């Protein structure tokens, strides 16, 4: 299993061509909001399903604010993160992820990449490929699962790829 996760693209997909190889062999892509129309453009350009949620900048999009999807045997809860105040801590988000029995929780909003295992759940924030904040770099995330069921989430620094 291979999943690519992006968030907070804000109408800028200029990074996609340079990073297209990262999407090779992906089972699916998650776009975590800000801007939902970018997720639809990704779906047109890629050969795998793109799941998406609305971010705080997607008020009129009509997209779900959170989704719970199984990819193979892995249960994934995805949200933008603003409703759970992720810029402060992961406590509220972790309570929700655990209540839906998620194996992986995807969130964005902070524009800062992070991978954390908290209470036995993987929390993955891909950062932003177009508008990183603070000292972070342009990034996305990849989640792989091996044949033994082990989950390996990691972030990818796109700064060397993007001109």
């Amino acid at each position: 299993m291979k999943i690519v996760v992006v968030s907070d693209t804000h109408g800028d997909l200029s990074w996609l061509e340079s990073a297209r190889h990262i999407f090779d062999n992906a089972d699916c892509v998650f776009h975590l909001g800000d801007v939902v129309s970018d997720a639809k453009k990704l779906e047109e350009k890629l050969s795998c399903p793109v799941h998406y949620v609305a971010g705080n900048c997607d008020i009129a999009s009509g997209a779900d604010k959170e989704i719970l999807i199984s990819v193979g045997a892995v249960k994934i809860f995805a949200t933008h993160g603003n409703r759970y105040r992720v810029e402060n801590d992961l406590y509220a988000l972790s309570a929700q992820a655990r209540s839906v029995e998620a194996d992986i929780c995807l969130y964005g909003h902070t524009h800062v990449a992070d991978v954390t295992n908290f209470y036995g759940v993987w929390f993955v924030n891909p950062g932003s490929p177009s508008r990183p904040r603070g000292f972070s770099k342009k990034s996305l995330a990849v989640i792989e699962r091996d044949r033994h069921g082990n989950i390996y989430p990691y972030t990818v620094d796109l700064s060397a790829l993007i001109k």
Side-chain angles (χ1 to χ4, degrees):
M1 175 190 83
K2 179 182 178 182
I3 298 169
V4 181
V5 186
V6 299
S7 187
D8 298 287
T9 51
H10 291 278
D12 179 2
L13 294 179
S14 63
W15 53 271
L16 181 58
E17 285 310 311
S18 299
R20 186 176 284 276
H21 66 281
I22 296 168
F23 294 85
D24 289 349
N25 304 314
D27 294 295
C28 65
V29 172
F30 280 83
H31 188 290
L32 304 176
D34 289 353
V35 167
V36 164
S37 62
D38 291 347
K40 295 174 183 177
K41 290 174 187 171
L42 283 174
E43 194 161 41
E44 292 170 7
K45 294 174 184 263
L46 302 173
S47 59
C48 63
V50 177
H51 307 288
Y52 57 88
V53 294
N56 56 297
C57 295
D58 297 314
I59 296 168
S61 74
D64 292 333
K65 291 179 173 64
E66 49 193 45
I67 55 176
L68 182 64
I69 294 177
S70 291
V71 178
V74 179
K75 202 170 185 182
I76 301 171
F77 174 68
T79 186
H80 185 61
N82 58 303
R83 298 174 65 218
Y84 295 95
R85 300 178 313 279
V86 296
E87 61 276 7
N88 296 326
D89 58 49
L90 295 180
Y91 184 76
L93 183 60
S94 70
Q96 180 62 22
R98 287 180 291 136
S99 76
V100 298
E101 299 178 345
D103 300 300
I104 300 170
C105 178
L106 306 176
Y107 70 101
H109 187 58
T110 65
H111 297 226
V112 177
D114 186 48
V115 174
T116 303
N117 192 298
F118 193 57
Y119 291 113
V121 177
W122 283 107
F123 289 82
V124 179
N125 183 331
S128 172
S130 57
R131 294 184 182 180
R133 289 186 181 151
F135 295 105
S136 62
K137 296 183 178 183
K138 294 180 178 192
S139 62
L140 54 74
V142 176
I143 302 166
E144 296 185 85
R145 184 171 182 239
D146 69 16
R147 60 188 172 104
H148 303 293
N150 299 309
I151 296 170
Y152 299 99
Y154 55 94
T155 58
V156 178
D157 177 355
L158 299 176
S159 58
L161 300 175
I162 300 172
K163 307 296 183 231

